[in-house]
Amino acid sequence: MAERKLKERFDMSRPMDQIDNSSTKPLQTEHHGQMSSRRSQSDVRLENCESEARRDLPNSLTASQHGPVTLLRLSRPAKRNALDDATIAGIEFFFSDPPQQTRAIILHGEGKHFSAGADLSTVTDASAPVSVRRSQSWYRAFDGIENGRVPVVAVLHGGVIGGGLELAAAAHIRVAERSAFYALPESTRGIFVGGGGAVRIPRLIGTTRMIDMMLTGRTYSAEEGLSLGFSQYLVDDGHGLAKAIELAERIATNTVLSNFAIVQALPRIARSDPEGGFLLESLMAAITVGDDEAKERVNAFFEKRVAKVAHPSGESER
């Protein structure tokens, strides 16, 4: 029932070419039918994708429901899940207002790779203003992941490259399969990261490592990525989604307010000056402890209706 409602909400059955584009801006043409020089093909594509995504998820994205966990799958396996304008607009649309029952979201990719990055075939004709606008659309989409109302778990396998790594860096938890590898090949194409990677990736691995990756084309394996901070979990190939569901279901048992504080306030506290951070921390602590559900859970602990935290080995409690 939940999955049916989700499909009805996003109407995933209709292909993009059947979407009503009546509200998009008409293509400006000269009298001989050629496109006006005032707007490039790239600009028109970007406008149409943004407008269409307000109605539907594009064919490159598939949403499904697993109890309180919503799954969003990148579904362009023939293109190694390269991120085009329609996909980015769809990601922005989805994370701006996920299904109401959602307590956690899993982001994963179909096929052999998580994402090979930006679809370069869509950006070759872009002018500087259009490129800036495209980056801003990526910022909005990925900000909706990082600063949305629910935690996001990404499952990484195969290539996590360029814009795909920028996308993964916006998630709160990353589970990598052993096939995963990380790369930032922008410099070999003569371009630069444009999806927030220059801000998010150094937070994971440090600025000097990112510089090294971009200057030399260095890649990291899944095992190396675990130690560097690209992922927090490493599992065998084919087990990433199951691990992500396990984590997401555990996350979904937390209170909504506590999860919100963790994904919204904690990163900002970590980036702030100590005095401001201490103040924000105290405010969030006061707000969460005053929540009725939190009070019930604390009482359950005092009344020994819930187990204490156990050592991973099970040998002791603390």
Side-chain angles (χ1 to χ4, degrees), residues 19-84:
I19 296 174
D20 176 16
N21 293 324
S22 59
S23 66
T24 61
K25 296 177 70 174
L27 182 65
Q28 294 183 10
T29 59
E30 306 291 0
H31 68 277
H32 56 347
Q34 298 297 316
M35 185 183 300
S36 168
S37 61
R38 292 192 296 274
R39 301 172 69 218
S40 70
Q41 289 182 346
S42 183
D43 198 8
V44 171
R45 283 198 303 267
L46 187 56
E47 269 188 10
N48 288 342
C49 288
E50 288 171 343
S51 180
E52 288 166 354
R54 295 188 187 101
R55 301 172 176 80
D56 268 317
L57 286 182
N59 291 335
S60 56
L61 294 170
T62 304
S64 60
Q65 199 74 27
H66 187 89
V69 178
T70 302
L71 292 84
L72 184 68
R73 184 178 70 205
L74 304 175
S75 300
R76 293 186 82 200
K79 289 282 190 179
R80 300 202 299 171
N81 292 323
L83 304 170
D84 60 0

Side-chain angles (χ1 to χ4, degrees), residues 5 9 20 34 39 54 63 77-78 83 125 151 158 163 165 174 182 186 197 221 240 260 278 292-293 303 306-307 311:
K5 288 182 179 179
R9 177 178 177 191
D20 176 16
Q34 298 297 316
R39 301 172 69 218
R54 295 188 187 101
L83 304 170
D125 66 336
L165 181 51
R174 290 167 295 280
Y182 309 96
E186 281 80 0
S221 67
F260 180 84
F278 292 146
D292 290 340
E293 189 175 355
E303 295 169 4
V306 294
H311 189 277

Side-chain angles (χ1 to χ4, degrees), residues 174-179 222-223 226 231-236:
R174 290 167 295 280
V175 177
E177 296 187 357
R178 294 190 183 279
S179 66
E223 289 79 6
L226 178 66
S231 75
Q232 295 102 314
Y233 296 87
L234 179 64
V235 298
D236 290 335

Side-chain angles (χ1 to χ4, degrees), residues 46 103 172-173 273 297:
L46 187 56
R103 302 288 288 264
H172 304 107
I173 294 177
D273 65 274
R297 294 187 180 207

Side-chain angles (χ1 to χ4, degrees), residues 208-275:
T208 56
R209 283 199 178 95
M210 183 174 179
I211 289 173
D212 178 32
M213 290 180 72
M214 295 192 71
L215 287 179
T216 68
R218 182 175 184 173
T219 62
Y220 286 106
S221 67
E223 289 79 6
E224 292 170 321
L226 178 66
S227 63
L228 293 177
F230 280 130
S231 75
Q232 295 102 314
Y233 296 87
L234 179 64
V235 298
D236 290 335
D237 292 345
H239 293 270
L241 187 56
K243 181 63 175 179
I245 291 174
E246 173 195 329
L247 294 171
E249 288 180 332
R250 189 183 308 169
I251 290 167
T253 65
N254 299 334
T255 68
V256 173
L257 187 56
S258 178
N259 279 346
F260 180 84
I262 292 167
V263 299
Q264 288 278 341
L266 182 55
R268 290 176 170 84
I269 292 170
R271 294 195 298 266
S272 67
D273 65 274
E275 289 186 358

